[in-house]
Amino acid sequence: MRYWLIKSEPTTYGIDHIAKDKTTSWGGVRNYQARNFMRDQMKVGDQAFFYHSNCEEPGIVGIVEVSAAAHPDETQFDKKSPYYDASSKREEPRWLNVDFKFVKKTPLVSLNELKKHKKLDRMRILQKGNRLSITPVDPDEWKYIVKLMAA
DNA sequence: GCCAACGTTGGC
DNA sequence: GCCAACGTTGGC
């Protein structure tokens, strides 16, 4: 079982959206590295920090869990979707995604807070210029952050 | 709104 | 296969 961090913009699809939906298909990811994480490494039961990006207070705001393994991303075949990909064929889908289910909201652990902890300075999210929307989280880092939330 | 960092595209 | 140009991300 692995741990992850997934980014989303709260105005587009934030923690309150998934709290209401209960589960959601994590479609629209158009980055090969992120796709490969979902396709090759994510398993049902893996947990992920839900991170709000591009907003007033960027940071971790909740926990979600993988509820379905990678499957073809429906938005790539939908001509009306902003994620439509004309070069992807049904017989050979280019984009895949997992489903996530809501676990809980957590107290905000802001980006600024994360930066303060020496233990966390290797996290992908804290590296300069990192834009990857799905990144692995080390089990030690996970535990450390969960403790921060409880404090 | 700015801009640095990054991924992708396409001409050669 | 190189690399400049472009578009996007995301913190500030």
Side-chain angles (χ1 to χ4, degrees):
Chain A
M1 136 119 185
R2 294 174 193 269
Y3 296 104
W4 306 91
L5 182 146
I6 62 171
K7 290 187 208 171
S8 193
E9 300 189 16
T11 52
T12 308
Y13 194 87
I15 192 70
D16 289 328
H17 294 99
I18 192 169
K20 181 160 163 284
D21 294 345
K22 305 299 178 203
T23 71
T24 193
S25 200
W26 207 246
V29 174
R30 294 294 178 268
N31 171 285
Y32 290 106
Q33 251 184 294
R35 180 205 65 183
N36 293 350
F37 282 140
M38 289 196 281
R39 185 190 61 190
D40 305 333
Q41 298 191 31
M42 276 194 189
K43 297 273 194 313
V44 171
D46 281 7
Q47 293 203 315
F49 289 131
F50 196 103
Y51 178 95
H52 279 171
S53 67
N54 209 4
C55 58
E56 206 156 311
E57 285 197 293
I60 296 166
V61 292
I63 291 174
V64 297
E65 186 175 310
V66 177
S67 60
H71 54 82
D73 179 341
E74 282 306 314
T75 64
Q76 71 195 306
F77 306 122
D78 178 2
K79 284 190 178 157
K80 283 175 291 200
S81 167
Y83 304 114
Y84 177 66
D85 184 347
S87 59
S88 183
K89 301 278 161 285
R90 283 229 173 242
E91 315 81 73
E92 206 183 336
R94 174 176 302 178
W95 304 109
L96 304 172
N97 67 269
V98 300
D99 295 355
F100 287 112
K101 75 173 181 204
F102 176 72
V103 174
K104 62 178 178 180
K105 287 171 109 173
T106 64
L108 172 76
V109 184
S110 69
L111 179 60
N112 275 331
E113 176 69 21
L114 292 170
K115 282 179 181 166
K116 286 180 192 160
H117 297 270
K118 192 109 204 322
K119 267 225 155 206
L120 303 175
D121 63 9
R122 299 192 62 202
M123 289 184 78
R124 289 286 287 273
I125 191 88
L126 301 180
Q127 308 310 309
K128 197 178 181 186
N130 173 63
R131 301 184 316 172
L132 198 52
S133 64
I134 297 176
T135 50
V137 173
D138 208 78
D140 287 340
E141 291 165 350
W142 180 277
K143 284 180 213 142
Y144 190 85
I145 293 169
V146 168
K147 265 189 204 162
L148 288 182
M149 289 165 170

